[in-house]
Amino acid sequence: MLPLFLGHATRLAEYHLAGRKAYRATVCFGESSTTDDIEGERTPAVGPAPDRAAVEALLPQFTGSLLQRPPAYSAVKVAGRRAYALARAGEAPELRPRSVIVHELSLVEWDASDASRPIAILDVVCSAGTYVRSLARDLGEAAGSAAYLGALTRTRAGAFTLDEAVTLDAIREAGAEGPEAVARLLLPVDAGLEAMPSVTVTAAEAGQLAEGRFVLPSAGLGAAAGADGPVRACEASGRLVAIASVRAGRLAPEKVLVERGARAALPVAAARDGVAVTPGGPEGG
């Protein structure tokens, strides 16, 4: 599952980057991989493959705050170069472990039809920046064997879930119908930011924010009065006008999402602004 931000919504992507990620991971035991996933060259493990009980007993060790070494074939930079570029050139990149958090880790299925190469299906909820490939590799090593990531599906990114995803084929079909059909597939521009405090502003106050001016909302700041982070400034209709901060009791615009003097968005504009959620998406982001 991959959130796609369109138009003005791209300016809000940064507020989603730190959200938790959830994955359904297939971990294959009994072999290691040069890339820690199914794409690499594989080598049989020296030790015997673990059984289900052994793997389940290890899961608590991989839950909570961890120091994790990224895969050699990753986008992490080493002396200004991507680790995967160094690895492809035959060099062994020295990757420093980094702190990640695995919030939840559970065994969903266990396939021991080949006892020498059992397969575990895991559900993982983790912080942004966690490599599930590294988790699979480290789990295999901790079991006295080896393992690699056979398959991975992202099921959640922040507030967005796989259940609400729209397929690329559906987006293509809507695109052939026109902007209004595409707009019907999009979530609101501020979807996923519901936990961010919201302040209601009038049309005149929205115009002032669009001009970069500080605003004292006539409706008051409400729950946002003591906010030490970003807040949403919205019109009574719910349309997001700006992301702002609270300074000395006033709204200070940080990211303005309407044009100066702009009128209500037309359907064609709506087709350019919003969030689309599609199946697929990279790991470790």
Side-chain angles (χ1 to χ4, degrees):
M1 190 280 300
L2 180 67
L4 302 175
F5 299 88
L6 309 178
H8 284 97
T10 59
R11 304 187 64 202
L12 306 181
E14 66 180 86
Y15 302 114
H16 299 274
L17 296 180
R20 294 184 181 185
K21 308 293 192 298
Y23 298 94
R24 175 64 59 88
T26 300
V27 180
C28 304
F29 291 89
E31 293 182 312
S32 62
S33 166
T34 53
T35 58
D36 296 327
D37 63 15
I38 199 170
E39 300 296 330
E41 296 181 11
R42 297 194 291 278
T43 303
V46 175
D51 60 16
R52 177 174 186 150
V55 171
E56 284 188 302
L58 286 170
L59 297 186
Q61 298 181 28
F62 292 90
T63 306
S65 298
L66 307 172
L67 279 178
Q68 185 183 74
R69 175 170 53 86
Y73 286 81
S74 64
V76 176
K77 284 191 175 182
V78 180
R81 296 180 63 187
R82 299 291 185 184
Y84 63 75
L86 294 171
R88 289 171 182 168
E91 302 178 39
E94 294 184 10
L95 297 170
R96 296 180 179 178
R98 58 183 183 178
S99 296
V100 300
I101 301 175
V102 176
H103 299 281
E104 300 175 29
L105 181 60
S106 58
L107 180 61
V108 179
E109 295 180 30
W110 180 263
D111 181 358
S113 54
D114 183 347
S116 64
R117 292 185 296 179
I119 297 173
I121 307 296
L122 303 176
D123 275 348
V124 185
V125 180
C126 55
S127 63
T130 302
Y131 279 96
V132 184
R133 281 183 288 157
S134 294
L135 183 63
R137 176 201 66 211
D138 295 344
L139 187 58
E141 293 176 357
S145 179
Y148 64 89
L149 187 66
L152 185 69
T153 300
R154 180 186 286 167
T155 57
R156 179 161 61 91
F160 305 112
T161 66
L162 184 60
D163 293 339
E164 63 186 325
V166 178
T167 65
L168 290 175
D169 285 341
I171 294 176
R172 292 189 186 99
E173 291 174 5
E177 294 181 29
E180 291 80 5
V182 175
R184 288 194 292 271
L185 298 180
L186 297 180
L187 298 173
V189 68
D190 57 344
L193 299 180
E194 290 79 10
M196 186 182 293
S198 177
V199 177
T200 301
V201 295
T202 65
E205 291 164 351
Q208 293 170 355
L209 288 171
E211 295 173 351
R213 296 163 59 185
F214 285 27
V215 169
L216 177 61
S218 56
L221 292 174
D228 58 1
V231 301
R232 291 175 293 154
C234 302
E235 293 180 330
S237 64
R239 185 174 71 140
L240 181 66
V241 173
I243 298 295
S245 59
V246 178
R247 301 183 190 176
R250 295 174 179 268
L251 291 179
E254 303 288 347
K255 293 181 183 290
V256 176
L257 301 172
V258 294
E259 300 297 331
R260 182 174 178 176
R263 297 179 180 177
L266 298 173
V268 118
R272 296 195 299 265
D273 301 331
V275 183
V277 184
T278 70
E283 167 207 5

